[in-house]
Amino acid sequence: MKSYLAPLLLVSLVPCAQAADGPAIDPKLLSEEVKTLSSDAFEGRGPATAGETKTVEYLSAQFKAVGLAPGGDLKNGKREWTQAVPLARSEIQGPIKLELKAGGMEQLLKQGEEIAVRAAQDGSAQVSFEDVPLVFAGYGVKAPERNWDDFKGVDLKGKIAIVLINDPDFETGKGDFGGKAMTYYGRWTYKYEEAARQGAKGLLIVHETAPASYGWATVKNSNTNTMFDIVRDKPAAAHPAFEGWIQRDFAVDLFKKSGLDFDALKKQAQTREFKPVVLKDATLSANYAVNREVITSHNVVGRLEGTKRPDETIVYSGHWDHLGVGAPDAKGDKIYNGAVDNATGIASLIELGRAFAKGPKPERSIVFLAVTAEEKGLLGSEYYSANPLYPLASTVAVLNVDALSPYGPTRNFTTSGSAKQELLDQLVETAKKWNLAYETDPKPEAGHFFRSDHFPFAKRGVPAISYGSGDDWIDGGVEAGKKAEDAYTADRYHQPADEWEASWPFTGLVRDLQVLHAVGADLANSTRWPNWDANSEFRAARDATAAQRK
Ligand SMILES: [Zn+2]
């Protein structure tokens, strides 16, 4: 009788785990780890601060304790727990002089008002140019797989391009760029990268609230402060010297002074036939100094070596950093604890590591990658992707976790944006076994796919996804789930109040992790290489390395 009763008792104690088999994941451990990582002692986990030292020590010790091997930088033939991530920190120093000449008039521009200029990240210590011509280049898109080229061979050397935000079919709602949903061509990071490839002196993006999905205040705040980038061999290959945004009204007026109609040109830019247009009698001059300094932060890396195909890798990633110590809130709290964002993800990596280390050894290797400086622009993941410890060509998939729910179990899950690929199909199928339905990103126009740590991998062709918790709670439904989500966004997200709570059950996260574990285990014990859909902008980059996956 006893042997019959015991499993029954177990089932009734863990009511949410009955749907499918998975490793036993202890919600109490998740809670403890989130509590520790988000405690004031960790000072909000700012990169290159005392909070980093503590986080790296804690995480290395946890990875070791659960049975992972160090998977970081090689030193004297041995792997360390960390990968050093040099970051360039750039700041405009002293006065900024910006002068526009248009329609026979001269105007001094004010930083943060009609224009927001980013501190140069191309390595310039001084940005200084005079009477540089301005060229409207549509959406600034060159997409060979879509037979689209806004530049049409026009030489942008020594010129500043002005482009629109989002991609050419955002406003029309249908076309070659996914309609309202944003492709990578719509993201501002792409536009600067493309401008650098075109050899432009600079790029100005016209801010419009709907296609950007945020207002001018966000543009102003995030572009006029300190800029961070990974240290690159050739920073000028990724950044033009002059990068910034201009307000829409200012752009309309500027076009008018050059005898052009902004709205008419925008309509043209939504067609393949569009050709760049020089703004007649309009030039820009600039002069300001840029202070550049290199700081070193770290990714933390644990690894389980595959038994049969150790050179093939599945990556679980999540960012360990948060905002550190900053402006106090109304209560005087200055520590941005980042309990949900992203201590939940880091606790997830630890417990996934424990589950894999305890379970049957995987045939392919599994890397647990806790990246730094996500909050500064996905820099730890960008650095790893640009300097991979394990080759990207033989990296099977990346499953990223960021800001997961500490609440109870749900009936659904989501992903940060969605791009068509087999890895997503596999995730959706697997989740069904736990009765979790897939909820697509409700705001695909916001480009969430490009704003999480899986993206630097995706950009280089590696199948990659960021998992997101669902909002349809088994206990309380969508109403309760949405309410909690809205309260988090309003009162806690990126605020000192993102703090651990003793009442959090973490039982939903247990299920989410069982799903993610199943997807990774399935890939780790197969010879499959999931790929992107044929018309995906990431497919070509993956196919280019196909020969290395034989
Ligand atoms: Zn985050």
Side-chain angles (χ1 to χ4, degrees):
M1 279 307 274
K2 257 185 190 158
S3 62
Y4 178 65
L5 271 177
L8 259 187
L9 195 65
L10 262 180
V11 166
S12 64
L13 279 174
V14 193
C16 53
Q18 84 278 36
D21 280 343
I25 288 169
D26 186 350
K28 284 201 202 77
L29 288 175
L30 289 167
S31 182
E32 238 164 68
E33 288 148 12
V34 170
K35 183 184 180 185
T36 304
L37 283 160
S38 63
S39 63
D40 282 356
F42 283 68
E43 297 177 32
R45 305 187 304 278
T49 66
E52 161 160 348
T53 311
K54 255 197 128 121
T55 307
V56 169
E57 272 172 16
Y58 173 77
L59 198 44
S60 312
Q62 292 296 311
F63 277 174
K64 190 176 178 188
V66 302
L68 303 181
D73 286 330
L74 263 175
K75 202 174 181 185
N76 307 322
K78 272 182 68 184
R79 292 273 178 196
E80 306 194 309
W81 283 106
T82 57
Q83 175 183 38
V85 178
L87 298 175
R89 187 180 181 279
S90 308
E91 218 164 3
I92 294 179
Q93 282 217 311
I96 307 176
K97 199 182 163 215
L98 298 163
E99 190 183 9
L100 177 80
K101 289 181 194 153
M105 311 218 286
E106 291 179 15
Q107 183 186 356
L108 285 177
L109 308 183
K110 269 192 230 89
Q111 170 77 320
E113 298 291 325
E114 50 277 284
I115 192 166
V117 178
R118 299 162 70 80
Q121 295 186 284
D122 69 330
S124 303
Q126 186 81 27
V127 175
S128 181
F129 53 81
E130 217 160 316
D131 294 331
V132 166
L134 304 169
V135 181
F136 176 60
Y139 285 86
V141 169
K142 186 172 182 173
E145 82 287 355
R146 286 162 162 92
N147 187 27
W148 194 286
D149 181 3
D150 282 335
F151 302 102
K152 305 283 192 305
V154 169
D155 185 7
L156 288 177
K157 284 201 183 68
K159 299 179 186 131
I160 292 170
I162 297 177
V163 302
L164 302 163
I165 190 64
N166 215 311
D167 56 35
D169 66 4
F170 169 78
E171 284 190 352
T172 57
K174 58 175 191 250
D176 297 294
F177 293 86
K180 223 168 144 42
M182 189 192 274
T183 60
Y184 186 49
Y185 299 110
R187 187 85 177 123
W188 57 264
T189 50
Y190 165 78
K191 296 180 193 288
Y192 293 132
E193 288 163 10
E194 189 56 48
R197 282 192 285 271
Q198 297 289 331
K201 180 95 196 156
L203 182 87
L204 289 170
I205 300 171
V206 180
H207 171 260
E208 294 184 278
T209 303
S213 86
Y214 37 75
W216 178 255
T218 303
V219 170
K220 177 184 168 178
N221 292 341
S222 48
N223 288 282
T224 60
N225 56 2
T226 310
M227 295 288 117
F228 287 87
D229 193 14
I230 63 169
V231 171
R232 300 174 192 270
D233 289 345
K234 292 180 194 138
H239 296 280
F242 185 71
E243 299 176 326
W245 291 69
I246 48 178
Q247 293 242 42
R248 181 183 192 277
D249 290 350
F250 171 73
V252 171
D253 187 52
L254 165 62
F255 277 50
K256 208 166 164 191
K257 283 180 179 145
S258 307
L260 299 169
D261 179 337
F262 177 81
D263 286 311
L265 276 176
K266 186 204 267 190
K267 286 244 154 56
Q268 279 182 35
Q270 292 164 357
T271 69
R272 273 203 172 76
E273 291 68 43
F274 170 82
K275 285 198 196 87
V277 179
V278 178
L279 274 65
K280 239 187 282 156
D281 304 321
T283 63
L284 192 70
S285 304
N287 192 15
Y288 50 86
V290 178
N291 181 41
R292 189 169 182 273
E293 176 189 8
V294 173
I295 58 168
T296 301
S297 184
H298 300 84
N299 292 333
V300 186
V301 194
R303 183 170 179 261
L304 268 186
E305 181 147 302
T307 52
K308 286 198 183 152
R309 294 178 295 288
D311 297 338
E312 301 174 3
T313 303
I314 286 108
V315 175
Y316 285 102
S317 63
H319 71 90
W320 62 254
D321 69 302
H322 195 55
L323 302 171
V325 178
D329 65 7
K331 290 182 192 151
D333 188 356
K334 284 195 274 196
I335 300 175
Y336 289 67
N337 304 79
V340 165
D341 186 9
N342 182 31
T344 55
I346 294 307
S348 298
L349 293 187
I350 297 169
E351 293 313 313
L352 283 168
R354 190 191 310 274
F356 274 106
K358 263 193 192 163
K361 294 279 165 281
E363 294 176 7
R364 285 168 158 165
S365 297
I366 303 183
V367 161
F368 301 85
L369 176 64
V371 295
T372 182
E374 185 271 353
E375 306 285 9
K376 305 205 183 307
L378 312 181
L379 296 180
S381 51
E382 174 69 21
Y383 188 83
Y384 179 97
S385 306
N387 306 273
L389 294 164
Y390 308 96
L392 296 187
S394 54
T395 297
V396 183
V398 176
L399 295 161
N400 186 64
V401 282
D402 194 353
L404 297 179
S405 161
Y407 296 107
T410 60
R411 294 186 190 91
N412 59 355
F413 76 99
T414 187
T415 53
S416 297
S418 62
K420 292 207 170 85
Q421 55 169 327
E422 289 163 332
L423 181 62
L424 178 60
D425 300 341
Q426 189 195 337
L427 174 62
V428 170
E429 275 311 303
T430 307
K432 280 180 189 163
K433 296 179 198 157
W434 277 265
N435 300 321
L436 291 175
Y438 178 49
E439 200 76 48
T440 52
D441 189 320
K443 253 185 109 191
E445 67 275 22
H448 288 129
F449 191 78
F450 319 112
R451 293 157 76 168
S452 230
D453 282 314
H454 69 284
F455 182 64
F457 292 92
K459 190 165 75 172
R460 292 169 173 88
V462 183
I465 265 177
S466 264
Y467 185 93
S469 310
D471 59 1
D472 185 2
W473 289 10
I474 286 177
D475 196 0
V478 176
E479 203 189 323
K482 280 235 181 336
K483 200 176 150 199
E485 222 172 79
D486 292 348
Y488 174 75
T489 307
D491 306 329
R492 296 179 180 230
Y493 173 70
H494 281 199
Q495 296 172 45
D498 186 359
E499 290 181 332
W500 174 84
E501 284 189 21
S503 62
W504 285 344
F506 284 97
T507 43
L509 186 48
V510 167
R511 278 180 119 184
D512 292 336
L513 295 183
Q514 285 174 332
V515 171
L516 289 169
H517 179 274
V519 172
D522 195 30
L523 289 171
N525 297 307
S526 84
T527 53
R528 277 186 304 121
W529 297 97
N531 205 339
W532 303 90
D533 275 19
N535 61 357
S536 161
E537 62 261 50
F538 311 116
R539 174 77 183 230
R542 189 58 166 175
D543 287 351
T545 63
Q548 295 169 59
R549 285 186 294 280
K550 284 281 149 64

